């Protein structure tokens, strides 16, 4: 299982992403992002644990969630 940060910029998009992914059974939490994403919003995103991020990204984009960036944080659950 891999751990990813999906930067959304605003807390509104982060909460929307959390609700969408939570309903699909994913483990996800809202988190403040690092400063390099803050220039495009308030600096929020979601952390998700999954094996393949591509379907997650497609689901969020098709649901109207603005994604500023995605990065793998670390391996494993924490």
């Amino acid at each position: 299982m891999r751990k990813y940060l999906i930067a959304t910029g605003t807390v509104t998009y982060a909460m929307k992403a959390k609700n969408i992914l939570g309903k699909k059974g994913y483990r996800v939490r809202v988190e403040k992002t690092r400063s390099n994403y803050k220039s495009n919003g308030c600096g929020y995103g979601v952390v998700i644990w999954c094996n393949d991020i591509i379907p997650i990204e497609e689901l969020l984009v098709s649901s109207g969630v603005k994604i500023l960036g995605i990065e793998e944080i670390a391996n494993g659950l924490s």
Side-chain angles (χ1 to χ4, degrees):
M1 193 77 54
R2 294 179 176 177
K3 182 178 173 184
Y4 293 93
L5 170 66
I6 302 172
T8 60
T10 68
V11 72
T12 302
Y13 279 128
M15 292 302 297
K16 182 175 182 178
K18 180 183 179 198
N19 290 335
I20 291 166
L21 296 172
K23 288 178 184 176
K24 295 287 185 179
Y26 290 101
R27 179 179 170 205
V28 62
R29 72 173 183 240
V30 173
E31 194 170 280
K32 289 282 274 181
T33 61
R34 295 189 326 243
S35 61
N36 61 331
Y37 291 114
K38 288 183 182 177
S39 63
N40 293 308
C42 301
Y44 282 89
V46 292
V47 173
I48 184 168
W49 290 260
C50 64
N51 291 318
D52 186 6
I53 196 67
I54 301 300
I56 305 298
E57 179 180 14
E58 291 171 351
L59 173 63
L60 293 177
V61 169
S62 69
S63 298
V65 175
K66 182 179 174 185
I67 297 176
L68 301 178
I70 299 174
E71 63 182 86
E72 187 173 351
I73 299 173
N75 290 327
L77 298 173
S78 59

